[in-house]
Every structure is written in C-alpha cells, then in structure tokens.
Amino acid sequence: MVSASSESAADGRSSDRQKSQEDILSEQIREGLSELRRPTDGLFLSALSAGLDIGFGPLLMAIVLTLAGFSFSSELLKELLIANFYAVGFIFVVLGRSELFTEHTTLAVLPVLDRRASVGDLARLWGVVYAGNVVGAVAFSAIVVLVAPAIGVVESKAFVELGSSLVKHEWPVLLAGGILAGWLMGLLSWLVAAAQESIARVFFVWIIATAIALAHLPHSIAGTVEVLMAVFAGTKLTLLDYGYFLLLSTVGNAIGGTVFVALLKYGHVVRSGPQVETTAVDD
C-alpha cells in the first residue's frame, strides 16, 4: 500500500525533478480517489461532456473523407490524416478533464488495489461514467447526422466507411482489439500523469489516440459515435450491429485497462523496493 507520507514527499519532489514511478502511482491513486468520491450528478455531467466532446474526432474524420472526395494519393496518406483528426476528440476530453470510461478502467482501479476504496465504489463510478459517455456519444451522433449532411460538409458514405470498419470483424478479433485499445488508454492515463507540462500531455494524448486510429482498434465511446453515425444515416448497419460492437469493445477496453495497466503498474511499483539515490563521485 502506498503511504500518505510517500505521497506528500512525492508532491514536494515532483515539482523540481522528473517524476518517479512511485510519484506517478501516488498521483494516480489520489486522482482516482477524488473521482470515486465525487457526487453522482457531477460525475454524470462530466461524463456526458466527455461523450459529446470525443465525437469531434469522428466528425472531423468524416469531413476529411468527404472533402477529399474519398480519393487519396496513397492509402498511407489517408490513414495518417484520418488518424490525426481522430486524436482531436481525445485531446478535448483529456485536457478538458472530463470523465472518460476507458481512462477510469485504469485510474479508478488503483485505489481499490491500494485498499482505499471498495469494489462497490468502483462499480458506481464505472456505471455512472459509462452511462454518461454513451448518452453523450449517442446525442452527438444524432446531431451530426442531422446537421453535417444538411450543410454539405459530410456525405453519408463517409459515415458508412467509418462505421463499417469497426463492426466487420468476428467477435474474437473485436474483443482482442478492444483489449489493445483499453491497454493503450490505460497507458495514456499513466503517461499524462507522468508529464509535467501541458505540451507533453498533448503529445501523449495525440500519439496514443493516433495509434488507436491507425490500428483500427475499437474504442467503446469514440466507436459509438462512428457506428451510430452510420446507423442514424440510414445505412445497412443496424442497432443490433451497434450492440454487438459496444458489448465486445467495452469488455475488451475494461480488460485492457485493468489487467495490462492497472494491475501490472501497481504490482511492479509497490514491489520494486526502496529507491536508491545515486550521486556523482569525484575521482
């Protein structure tokens, strides 16, 4: 268990040197506890905001596809350009400090592992944040499908291309992809805590979100916007397809963030032993 004294010491040290892994873990536990103790209505509103804000990434992806006439000089250029716009929504959410479910699959687990919160506390947080995220993403999708084609910035086939790419896989592939996406989002939470400057935080969010998009990994909340835009646009995708995607991506995201980041990071930090201070020795 990470002690309170080590947390206060970490506060003093982290301002004048690079954060150690103990500093990062202490900061993550404190932040997780703060979120676990927030009132339910505040949590939901913040999660709703995140579900809305993250939709700007998929919207910009659809706009780029439409403006380019679905024709790029190379597939590499297309993938790189779209992936970079996908990251915009994540930058809005993470730097705006809104509540995103895939961050909390790692962040909120740490206080439970440290025996400062209960599994019931975790279940409440996950449930409220997840519900708010999904409601926000659904609302954003409906607004975009109503407005974007009407003002001529998106063609419906852009929605089809984005949404179809997420639901075409068999369930083991979709589940495994969700695990990888959750793993990356857990790393994002850890790296953002390690960063000491805003520009570094932006870089970490950008590189992780771009990696998720380039690998076409299913993120349950951003993917909700992508799939539902196609469903609401009246394409061949149905709500059943969306339910299939949401279930498997959510389970995968939760496994990835909890097992491959929260459990492993907590385990190796608390079992790493005391830090050895090194100093230069004069000859």
Side-chain angles (χ1 to χ4, degrees):
M1 183 172 176
V2 178
S3 67
S5 60
S6 66
E7 288 186 359
S8 60
D11 287 338
R13 295 195 307 266
S14 59
S15 62
D16 55 11
R17 66 167 177 80
Q18 185 177 4
K19 295 179 183 178
S20 70
Q21 58 187 12
E22 288 82 5
D23 297 336
I24 299 169
L25 178 59
S26 294
E27 182 177 324
Q28 291 271 275
I29 290 173
R30 288 196 305 275
E31 186 173 347
L33 279 171
S34 175
E35 299 306 324
L36 286 165
R37 293 167 179 167
R38 286 186 68 178
T40 299
D41 55 352
L43 270 178
F44 182 81
L45 289 174
S46 182
L48 179 67
S49 176
L52 290 165
D53 293 346
I54 205 169
F56 282 102
L59 171 60
L60 290 172
M61 294 162 67
I63 291 174
V64 169
L65 282 173
T66 300
L67 291 178
F70 303 90
S71 176
F72 290 82
S73 58
S74 71
E75 189 66 18
L76 175 61
L77 175 62
K78 172 186 173 182
E79 293 292 335
L80 287 174
L81 188 59
I82 289 178
N84 276 275
F85 279 104
Y86 178 82
V88 171
F90 286 88
I91 293 173
F92 289 167
V93 170
V94 176
L95 269 68
R97 309 293 290 177
S98 299
E99 310 294 340
L100 188 61
F101 172 73
T102 46
E103 274 194 285
H104 285 295
T105 53
T106 295
L107 183 64
V109 171
L110 294 172
V112 177
L113 294 176
D114 209 47
R115 300 179 182 178
R116 303 195 196 183
S118 68
V119 173
D121 295 330
L122 177 63
R124 167 188 165 272
L125 177 71
W126 276 7
V128 172
V129 170
Y130 185 74
N133 284 172
V134 171
V135 170
V138 171
F140 188 92
S141 304
I143 294 169
V144 165
V145 170
L146 178 65
V147 174
I151 61 178
V153 295
V154 176
E155 294 182 16
S156 293
K157 63 180 181 178
F159 298 144
V160 178
E161 182 168 336
L162 294 176
S164 299
S165 66
L166 292 175
V167 301
K168 64 182 180 181
H169 303 292
E170 296 295 327
W171 75 264
V173 176
L174 188 53
L175 178 63
I179 291 173
L180 291 174
W183 188 344
L184 284 170
M185 287 303 298
L187 287 175
L188 171 60
S189 177
W190 190 267
L191 291 173
V192 167
Q196 295 179 313
E197 298 177 355
S198 294
I199 189 65
R201 296 188 183 99
V202 171
F203 173 76
F204 287 136
V205 176
W206 168 76
I207 197 169
I208 293 292
T210 300
I212 291 173
L214 280 175
H216 292 271
L217 299 177
H219 183 278
S220 55
I221 308 305
T224 286
V225 178
E226 294 177 77
V227 176
L228 284 183
M229 286 192 305
V231 173
F232 293 157
T235 64
K236 63 180 181 180
L237 294 183
T238 66
L239 288 175
L240 186 61
D241 294 318
Y242 167 63
Y244 166 80
F245 163 81
L246 185 64
L247 174 63
L248 292 172
S249 62
T250 299
V251 173
N253 291 168
I255 293 172
T258 300
V259 175
F260 292 98
V261 181
L263 287 174
L264 290 180
K265 293 292 188 186
Y266 182 85
H268 89 74
V269 172
V270 299
R271 289 169 174 78
S272 62
Q275 288 282 296
V276 177
E277 298 291 339
T278 58
T279 57
V281 178
D282 294 330
D283 292 334

